[in-house]
Amino acid sequence: MSSEDIAEGSGVSAVQVRKDLSFLGAAGTRGVGYDVTGLADQLVRALGLEARHGVAIIGAGNLGSALANYQGFEARGFRMVAIYDIDSDRIGGRAGPLTVRSIDQMATDARVDDISIGMIATPADAAQFVSALVVEAGVRAILNFAPVELRVPQGVSVRRVDLATELQILSYHLVSKPEE
Amino acid sequence: MSSEDIAEGSGVSAVQVRKDLSFLGAAGTRGVGYDVTGLADQLVRALGLEARHGVAIIGAGNLGSALANYQGFEARGFRMVAIYDIDSDRIGGRAGPLTVRSIDQMATDARVDDISIGMIATPADAAQFVSALVVEAGVRAILNFAPVELRVPQGVSVRRVDLATELQILSYHLVSKPEE
DNA sequence: TAGATTGTTAATCGATTAACAATC
DNA sequence: TAGATTGTTAATCGATTAACAATC
C-alpha cells in the first residue's frame, strides 16, 4: 500500500504519512510502498499498544457510563479495568461490563490492576480535584472530558476531549459560512 | 475579568484569548478587562447558539446511546432531537430521553424538526454511507465519531472525534517519554 | 497622573508543502 | 531500463508569541 493510499483513507497528506511513519521507525520500500501487516505490527509496537494499558474511568454519570459501554477501546488495544464514583448511590451499580467502585479504592487498584490511563468524566467542578487523586495514584496519562484545563505535575500527559465545544465549533461554521 | 484570567481557565495564552475575542467582535475595555456577562452573550451570538441547533444521532449502538444519555449538549445550547438506526431490533427502543427511529425517517424529520447537525456514531464501515444520507437530508454539519475520513460535498463541515485514537496518543506518550 | 490591560503590528517559530535524489 | 514511490532537505506558509502603542 502506498503512502498515497494511506493518505486517502486517513485524511492526511501522503507526505505527512511518510514523515510520520519514518519518524516512528516504520520503513516502506521505494517504488513499492508499505507492507500493511508489517506496518500494523510496527505501529502497535511504536505506540506501545502491546502493553495493553489499563484504563480507569472516573465518574459514573451519563458520560462515564457511556464510555464504559463503548467497546471500541478494547478493540484498539486497551483494558477497561474499572469505573469509580464518589456517590454512594452509584457505587456497587453496573456500568456496562464494570461495577462502579468507590473512588477511595482507586489508589490501591491502580497498583493491583496496573492502571496507567485515567479518563475523567466528572462534572467540571470536580475534575481538578479528581485529577489530583488520579495523579497521586501513580497514573501518568489522563483523557479529560470535563470542560476545564487541568493543572498536573510535569511528566503527566493530559488530552482533552470537549464534545460540547466540538458542537459549538460546528455551530459557528453553520452561521458564519452559510454558503461555500 | 482580564484576558489573563480567561487564559488561565481555558488553557490558551492571554494574547490568543484577546485575538480570538477581537476576531469574534467581542470588545473589552483597556485597563479593565472584559465584562463576563456581556461577553457570554456576545459569544453565544457569535457562535450562533441562540439558534439552538437541532442535533440528530445516527447509530444507536453503545456510543450512540451514550451520546443520547449525555446531558451536556442541551446545557451548552443544543436541542437533541432524534436518534436513528438501521437495525429493526433497535428501532422503537429507548436511548436516554429519545426513542430510536428508523434511518428512513431522517430525511423527513430533518425538515420537520429542523435538524442541522448530525452525529455519526456508526461502525466505521457504515459511516461513509450514512454521511451521504445525512447530507442528502440537508444537514450541513457533521460530528463524526467513526474512525474514517468522510468524503462530503463542499459546504458541509465535518469534525472528527476519535476516542480510541486519543488513548493511543496517550499510550505513545507513556512509552516514549517515561520520565520528563 | 500612574497602573493596568486591550488591540494590533511585527518577529519568531513550527508545521506543512514542494521538490527531488535515492532506490526498489 | 523505465516507472513508481520512499525518505529527506529546502521553501513556504500559517500560527503563535513578543512588543508596544492606545486608552480606560
Side-chain angles (χ1 to χ4, degrees):
Chain A
M1 190 178 254
S2 71
S3 58
E4 194 64 61
D5 297 332
I6 298 173
E8 207 154 306
S10 65
V12 299
S13 71
V15 203
Q16 196 61 261
V17 168
R18 296 205 295 276
K19 247 198 181 153
D20 290 355
L21 290 181
S22 157
F23 174 79
L24 290 174
T29 308
R30 293 171 195 225
V32 180
Y34 297 87
D35 170 67
V36 288
T37 315
L39 186 58
D41 289 353
Q42 177 79 26
L43 289 179
V44 164
R45 227 169 310 129
L47 299 177
L49 299 179
E50 346 85 307
R52 291 197 72 82
H53 290 294
V55 178
I57 301 166
I58 301 96
N62 287 310
L63 187 58
S65 308
L67 293 170
N69 272 292
Y70 182 50
Q71 283 159 6
F73 301 126
E74 293 275 350
R76 293 268 284 278
F78 300 92
R79 279 183 304 118
M80 301 307 288
V81 167
I83 181 166
Y84 298 98
D85 208 289
I86 201 170
D87 182 351
S88 55
D89 287 353
R90 284 184 184 149
I91 295 167
R94 299 297 287 177
L98 303 171
T99 301
V100 181
R101 306 182 193 173
S102 164
I103 185 85
D104 301 329
Q105 282 180 253
M106 189 175 52
T108 320
D109 293 355
R111 251 168 288 117
V112 177
D113 295 332
D114 192 20
I115 295 170
S116 46
I117 301 178
M119 284 186 176
I120 297 186
T122 66
D125 54 17
Q128 178 60 59
F129 168 71
V130 157
S131 86
L133 293 182
V134 170
V135 170
E136 245 174 75
V139 173
R140 290 211 327 288
I142 294 176
L143 189 56
N144 177 29
F145 288 86
V148 280
E149 188 66 13
L150 299 178
R151 299 180 157 281
V152 295
Q154 269 228 330
V156 177
S157 305
V158 179
R159 290 186 66 86
R160 185 160 142 200
V161 173
D162 189 337
L163 299 176
T165 294
E166 295 293 334
L167 281 192
Q168 294 186 334
I169 293 169
L170 285 172
S171 173
Y172 174 72
H173 288 332
L174 285 173
V175 298
S176 72
K177 47 169 190 179
E179 304 302 303
E180 179 190 332
Chain B
M1 192 178 252
S2 71
S3 59
E4 193 65 60
D5 297 332
I6 298 173
E8 208 154 305
S10 65
V12 299
S13 71
V15 202
Q16 197 60 261
V17 169
R18 297 205 295 277
K19 244 195 183 157
D20 289 355
L21 290 180
S22 158
F23 174 78
L24 290 174
T29 308
R30 292 170 194 228
V32 180
Y34 297 86
D35 170 65
V36 287
T37 314
L39 186 59
D41 289 353
Q42 177 78 26
L43 289 180
V44 164
R45 227 169 312 129
L47 298 178
L49 299 180
E50 346 85 306
R52 290 196 71 82
H53 289 294
V55 179
I57 301 166
I58 302 94
N62 288 310
L63 187 57
S65 309
L67 293 169
N69 272 293
Y70 182 49
Q71 285 158 6
F73 300 126
E74 293 275 349
R76 293 268 285 278
F78 300 92
R79 278 183 304 116
M80 300 308 288
V81 166
I83 181 166
Y84 298 98
D85 208 290
I86 200 169
D87 181 351
S88 55
D89 288 353
R90 283 184 184 150
I91 296 168
R94 300 297 288 175
L98 303 172
T99 301
V100 181
R101 306 182 194 173
S102 165
I103 184 86
D104 301 329
Q105 282 180 251
M106 187 174 53
T108 319
D109 293 355
R111 251 169 286 117
V112 177
D113 295 333
D114 192 21
I115 295 171
S116 47
I117 301 178
M119 284 185 177
I120 298 185
T122 66
D125 54 17
Q128 179 59 60
F129 168 70
V130 157
S131 87
L133 293 181
V134 170
V135 170
E136 246 174 74
V139 173
R140 292 210 325 288
I142 293 175
L143 190 57
N144 176 29
F145 289 86
V148 279
E149 188 67 11
L150 299 178
R151 300 180 155 280
V152 296
Q154 267 228 332
V156 177
S157 305
V158 179
R159 291 185 65 85
R160 186 160 141 200
V161 174
D162 189 336
L163 299 176
T165 295
E166 295 293 334
L167 280 193
Q168 292 185 335
I169 293 169
L170 285 171
S171 173
Y172 175 72
H173 288 332
L174 285 173
V175 298
S176 72
K177 46 170 192 179
E179 302 304 303
E180 183 185 331

